[in-house]
């Protein structure tokens, strides 16, 4: 998946990020705002891992991105009800 697509849809993707890296806080993700280099830095910082390891994890996560991540759940269509006959 192209990182520009991930960054452009950051609000929808944040849940996927938190599933993968649960130690990242909402504040971390707000600061990162979809910037890949900052994301790698936060992963490195929170997990105490080397930069190359964080980059590999991020690359694997990015490669696993699917279109389903960008689908916004919509509310069901309203059901029309016919008035009862009097």
């Amino acid at each position: 998946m192209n990182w520009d697509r991930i960054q452009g849809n950051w609000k929808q993707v944040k849940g996927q990020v938190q599933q993968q890296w649960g130690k990242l806080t909402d504040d971390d993700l707000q600061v990162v705002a979809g910037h890949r280099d900052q994301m790698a830095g936060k992963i490195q910082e929170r997990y105490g891992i080397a930069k190359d390891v964080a980059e590999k994890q991020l690359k694997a996560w990015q490669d696993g991105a699917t279109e389903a991540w960008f689908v916004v759940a919509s509310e069901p269509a309203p059901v029309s009800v016919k008035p009862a006959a009097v």
Side-chain angles (χ1 to χ4, degrees):
M1 176 75 51
N2 181 317
W3 190 265
D4 290 336
R5 178 86 193 276
I6 291 171
Q7 184 175 7
N9 293 283
W10 189 244
K11 288 183 181 181
Q12 288 99 338
V13 176
K14 286 193 310 186
Q16 297 293 332
V17 172
Q18 287 186 314
Q19 280 184 344
Q20 180 70 31
W21 296 284
K23 290 183 180 181
L24 297 178
T25 66
D26 288 335
D27 288 342
D28 290 337
L29 299 181
Q30 188 172 6
V31 168
V32 166
H35 296 280
R36 193 180 193 290
D37 57 336
Q38 292 179 8
M39 178 74 182
K42 285 294 181 187
I43 294 168
Q44 180 182 4
E45 177 184 327
R46 293 286 180 226
Y47 286 87
I49 58 177
K51 184 176 182 176
D52 63 325
V53 174
E55 287 288 344
K56 285 179 185 177
Q57 287 183 10
L58 193 53
K59 172 81 169 104
W61 177 83
Q62 178 182 346
D63 290 345
T66 68
E67 290 297 319
W69 290 10
F70 305 107
V71 176
V72 178
S74 60
E75 294 181 25
V79 177
S80 61
V81 178
K82 293 182 182 180
V86 180

